Amino acid sequence: MTETNSKLNKFMQRDAAVILYGNAVAGILISLLTSSFLVFAFSYPRIDPLKKIWWWVMTCLLLIRFFDMIWWEVKLKKTQFDGNIATIRFITGANLTALMWSVYLVYCTTQGNDIELTTTIIAIAAMAGGSSTVLAAHKYTAIFFPCILLAPGSIGLILSDQKHLQLLGILGLSFSIVMLVISRNSAKFTANTLFLKNENSILVHQMEEKVKQRTHKIYELSNLDPLTRLFNRTAFLEQLKVVTTTPQKPFALLFIDLDGFKKINDSIGHKAGDDILRETANRLSQFTKDSQLLCRWGGDEFLIVFSDIDEASAVEKSKQLIALLSEPHNTENSILSVGATIGIALYPIHAKTEDRLIQLADMAMYYQKKQMRSAVCVFTEEMEKLFAYDLHLKNGLTKAIENKQLRLVFQPIICSKTLNIAAFEALLRWQLDDENIPPDEFIPIAEQYGLIHEIGAWVLQHACMQAKQWDNKREIIVCVNVSIIQLQDENFIGIVEEALSSSLLPAELLHIEITESVFASDLVVITNQIKSLQSMGVQVSIDDFGTGYSSLSAMQDLAVNMVKIDRSFVNKVDSNGKAIISAVMHMSSALNFTVIAEGVETEEQSQALLQLGVHYFQGYYYSRPIEIENIPSYLESKHSNTA
């Protein structure tokens, strides 16, 4: 409110100055003509010199006011001038003019004759009457001007000893009082008019500003991502559509996906994740100053268009972008790093519509992520065939359980010393359109599209149910592979409990196998999940051990029950693989875990592993995966051989 009042007062002062200076020419000319007429029309040698001196002073004052008016009109009127200063300058000249006329009238009452005095009073009264309108924009000057013009001279006439002069003085004083009231009312009316005019102007301006702000806010909500202030998906598509539907030079569309962002977002917190996204947006904006087409597509994905560029230049720019985005981020009192994988689609070589370009660039990015992260890839037709196949698998997986296309087979795990069956590993098989799809093809698809949770729960449930039907006297364990995505699910422990409860399988007969990639995940979450499983009686195995992620400290923290040596080391047990396996056996002794060698395919491998002290064997040398219906006969034959 204070700011509004200040603006209102400022605008009113400016308008007052405009009104005052707008009427200045008439006032100055009237004063000049009247003063010249009164001085030179009535000539008396005795008083002429003083009257002419007064006239010269008045003329100089009026000239100063005239040049001030010209300066205001030419220099100030069209600028953001200070209304208060301009008004003060004007009323100073006007009031000095009034004083000069007051001096002249007082002088005439003592020195002039009756005709000159009467003429002077009539002329000054006329100017006093006109001043109520001309000076109405400034209240105090409007009141002061007629009073100072008439009152001193009228009082002087009243004090004279001539009755007709006294009557003239009373008339002049009465007129000055009437003009005072009229001037005050006129000034009040003018002030109210200026107040209403400027109040309405301010209100209209404020409404326009609010509409402008609201319009800008609507634009931001409709077109800008609230976190990064980049174009959102809708706005980017609209802009890209304009580009693709008008004649254009070739351009490259880059689809950028941050590597390692989800881990930071989940482990450090969403605030750190938001900081990284904002800083990423700033880096992209700085890098792409010449490109208006930049957006946050969603999550940690960004899109950029580089105009008038060929494939080689687009790849080079992408490499520079990857280097820029991979620079460390200082946030949450930590130095955090993410990478970036970029897919490129070229217009018009690869596609001519905005949707298709984005789809192809996205496809290239995901293809590159599967090969190697933090690199750049340009779309090819071969990628589209692979993508179509992945999409075919994804669509098939969504109904694989419903269509009863999934089944479990079980591969025995043999005790190295007794050669008895210690456990079966449950292996998932999928048949789609009479074609057996390998697990290394469909499991990544299930993980990528979020289908792994439902499929994983199905595997756990059916594996436990099958294990319950085996020879209870021999207490054969069932081992179930679990994806890292499943293990990180907060509902995973409940799913395991449900599988054990519904199947009535004792918890100690269930082993959960997790790959060594868990060491690259959030170890706090993983450790808590493993401890929860172990507290239930379920044991935990590390699969594919030795392929690159694990460390002694992590192994000690996780405290797993078993470790499976990867088949790549078993295949080289007669060379450098022997040293690795020997080191694992020493670790098992120190950390108290059991060791299983998978991929055992020959008797030589079996003997070498036995000499190294490996506890359990698994591989084609002992048995291929067995169909469910053949397990009873397999167990019976093993039981007969043992007997």
Side-chain angles (χ1 to χ4, degrees):
M1 183 61 71
T2 302
E3 183 180 354
T4 301
N5 290 338
S6 176
K7 285 183 179 180
L8 183 59
N9 185 51
K10 179 180 177 181
F11 293 152
M12 288 179 65
Q13 288 175 347
R14 286 168 55 83
D15 283 348
V18 171
I19 293 173
L20 291 171
Y21 274 102
N23 296 323
V25 175
I28 292 171
L29 287 175
I30 290 171
S31 291
L32 181 61
L33 292 172
T34 303
S35 64
S36 299
F37 172 79
L38 292 175
V39 169
F40 295 104
F42 301 95
S43 178
Y44 301 100
R46 184 174 58 84
I47 62 174
D48 277 354
L50 290 176
K51 287 172 64 178
K52 288 178 180 179
I53 291 173
W54 177 89
W55 181 82
W56 277 110
V57 174
M58 173 64 90
T59 300
C60 289
L61 175 60
L62 293 175
L63 284 173
I64 291 172
R65 290 184 62 197
F66 179 76
F67 286 120
D68 174 62
M69 183 206 69
I70 295 299
W71 184 73
W72 180 86
E73 187 74 27
V74 174
K75 296 291 185 180
L76 293 181
K77 186 177 180 180
K78 296 180 180 180
T79 67
Q80 296 294 321
F81 64 91
D82 189 323
N84 186 45
I85 294 176
T87 301
I88 290 173
R89 194 170 61 247
F90 179 87
I91 64 174
T92 300
N95 289 325
L96 287 175
T97 303
L99 288 171
M100 288 294 293
W101 277 117
S102 178
V103 169
Y104 187 83
L105 181 58
V106 170
Y107 180 72
C108 285
T109 61
T110 58
Q111 302 296 327
N113 61 24
D114 291 348
I115 295 176
E116 181 183 5
L117 180 60
T118 302
T119 303
T120 301
I121 288 179
I122 292 173
I124 292 177
M127 286 191 292
S131 68
S132 64
T133 301
V134 173
L135 300 175
H138 191 267
K139 176 182 177 182
Y140 298 109
T141 299
I143 294 172
F144 174 81
F145 196 90
C147 289
I148 202 66
L149 282 177
L150 289 172
S154 297
I155 292 171
L157 290 173
I158 291 172
L159 295 176
S160 72
D161 54 0
Q162 299 182 44
K163 188 174 181 180
H164 68 282
L165 294 179
Q166 291 175 346
L167 291 174
L168 190 61
I170 292 172
L171 183 62
L173 185 62
S174 299
F175 185 76
S176 68
I177 293 172
V178 171
M179 290 309 303
L180 184 149
V181 175
I182 293 174
S183 297
R184 186 177 68 84
N185 291 338
S186 179
K188 184 178 180 181
F189 176 80
T190 303
N192 287 335
T193 301
L194 293 179
F195 177 82
L196 291 174
K197 176 214 173 205
N198 286 285
E199 184 182 46
N200 289 337
S201 296
I202 290 174
L203 289 174
V204 169
H205 177 72
Q206 288 176 341
M207 290 177 65
E208 288 175 347
E209 283 296 315
K210 287 183 178 179
V211 170
K212 189 176 180 181
Q213 291 173 4
R214 188 66 58 86
T215 302
H216 182 67
K217 187 67 176 177
I218 292 172
Y219 172 83
E220 289 186 340
L221 292 173
S222 302
N223 295 277
L224 300 184
D225 173 63
L227 180 64
T228 63
R229 314 307 294 171
L230 301 179
F231 273 145
N232 59 22
R233 183 180 295 212
T234 302
F236 182 82
L237 281 171
E238 290 176 355
Q239 295 296 319
L240 187 58
K241 185 174 183 178
V242 172
V243 173
T244 55
T245 54
T246 55
Q248 289 288 332
K249 294 180 180 179
F251 65 81
L253 174 69
L254 276 60
F255 197 114
I256 304 169
D257 185 80
L258 300 184
D259 301 324
F261 173 79
K262 186 177 185 303
K263 179 181 177 182
I264 291 175
N265 204 42
D266 293 343
S267 58
I268 306 298
H270 291 289
K271 185 178 184 303
D274 289 347
D275 289 343
I276 288 176
L277 290 175
R278 276 190 291 265
E279 178 59 25
T280 297
N282 290 336
R283 293 180 185 182
L284 290 173
S285 298
Q286 289 297 317
F287 187 85
T288 60
K289 287 181 179 178
D290 297 333
S291 176
Q292 298 299 316
L293 285 175
L294 167 63
C295 88
R296 181 188 178 198
W297 189 244
D300 59 345
E301 297 174 336
F302 299 85
L303 297 183
I304 300 176
V305 168
F306 287 118
S307 300
D308 194 15
I309 194 172
D310 58 18
E311 180 178 326
S313 299
V315 170
E316 182 58 32
K317 276 185 174 289
S318 297
K319 290 179 180 178
Q320 295 172 10
L321 262 179
I322 291 171
L324 177 64
L325 298 179
S326 299
E327 292 179 2
H329 296 263
N330 294 311
T331 181
E332 294 293 294
N333 298 319
S334 302
I335 299 178
L336 305 173
S337 294
V338 295
T341 301
I342 299 179
I344 300 176
L346 301 173
Y347 172 92
I349 299 173
H350 296 143
K352 295 182 180 180
T353 63
E354 67 278 7
D355 292 331
R356 183 64 173 160
L357 279 168
I358 294 171
Q359 180 188 26
L360 300 185
D362 186 16
M363 201 180 295
M365 184 275 295
Y366 270 110
Y367 177 83
Q368 183 58 47
K369 265 190 180 290
K370 289 182 178 181
Q371 309 304 313
M372 182 178 69
R373 297 189 172 209
S374 296
V376 58
C377 178
V378 180
F379 169 78
T380 64
E381 291 184 2
E382 183 63 27
M383 292 177 196
E384 187 164 23
K385 294 178 182 177
L386 294 173
F387 179 78
Y389 180 67
D390 285 353
L391 189 62
H392 172 65
L393 295 185
K394 178 253 183 182
N395 292 335
L397 275 177
T398 57
K399 296 185 178 181
I401 296 176
E402 179 184 338
N403 294 337
K404 297 181 179 180
Q405 296 170 340
L406 298 178
R407 76 182 195 281
L408 294 178
V409 295
F410 296 87
Q411 186 172 29
I413 298 175
I414 307 298
C415 176
S416 62
K417 293 183 179 179
T418 65
L419 298 182
N420 288 332
I421 300 172
F424 281 107
E425 179 182 0
L427 302 173
L428 182 61
R429 296 291 184 262
W430 178 34
Q431 190 172 42
L432 176 64
D433 299 332
D434 298 325
E435 179 185 1
N436 290 316
I437 311 298
D440 57 357
E441 287 187 10
F442 71 80
I443 292 298
I445 300 295
E447 292 178 338
Q448 178 180 337
Y449 292 101
L451 303 172
I452 194 64
H453 299 288
E454 181 183 4
I455 292 174
W458 183 90
V459 170
L460 263 171
Q461 182 71 38
H462 283 70
C464 290
M465 291 177 63
Q466 290 299 322
K468 180 62 179 175
Q469 299 176 23
W470 297 337
D471 189 347
N472 291 333
K473 295 180 181 179
R474 301 175 67 175
E475 293 189 340
I476 299 175
I477 295 167
V478 64
C479 304
V480 179
N481 290 285
V482 169
S483 165
I484 183 62
I485 297 175
Q486 290 176 263
L487 192 63
Q488 291 175 327
D489 184 2
E490 60 183 13
N491 298 319
F492 177 69
I493 299 301
I495 292 172
V496 174
E497 290 176 338
E498 171 62 24
L500 291 172
S501 174
S502 61
S503 66
L504 301 179
L505 182 72
E508 58 270 17
L509 294 184
L510 174 63
H511 284 194
I512 297 295
E513 290 191 8
I514 52 180
T515 62
E516 197 182 12
S517 61
V518 296
F519 293 101
S521 305
D522 185 351
L523 283 179
V524 175
V525 173
I526 299 302
T527 300
N528 290 337
Q529 294 286 68
I530 288 176
K531 288 180 179 178
S532 296
L533 290 170
Q534 291 173 332
S535 66
M536 295 164 50
V538 177
Q539 296 194 34
V540 179
S541 305
I542 296 294
D543 199 6
D544 301 330
F545 185 78
T547 53
Y549 287 99
S550 59
S551 66
L552 289 175
S553 60
M555 285 291 296
Q556 189 173 10
D557 292 338
L558 289 179
V560 296
N561 304 104
M562 295 184 181
V563 165
K564 271 192 172 183
I565 299 174
D566 188 71
R567 65 180 66 248
S568 60
F569 299 110
V570 173
N571 290 337
K572 298 178 181 179
V573 69
D574 57 344
S575 57
N576 56 0
K578 181 176 181 180
I580 300 294
I581 297 172
S582 179
V584 172
M585 295 311 301
H586 286 296
M587 287 172 56
S588 73
S589 177
L591 298 178
N592 194 32
F593 59 76
T594 303
V595 178
I596 303 171
E598 60 180 350
V600 182
E601 298 184 354
T602 66
E603 183 177 357
E604 289 76 15
Q605 290 175 347
S606 175
Q607 292 300 318
L609 293 169
L610 182 61
Q611 291 177 6
L612 290 171
V614 175
H615 307 118
Y616 295 95
F617 299 150
Q618 179 181 359
Y620 285 1
Y621 177 69
Y622 293 99
S623 174
R624 290 179 175 273
I626 304 171
E627 298 289 343
I628 289 175
E629 60 271 18
N630 296 329
I631 288 180
S633 60
Y634 176 81
L635 289 174
E636 182 63 31
S637 65
K638 288 295 180 183
H639 180 71
S640 301
N641 292 338
T642 303

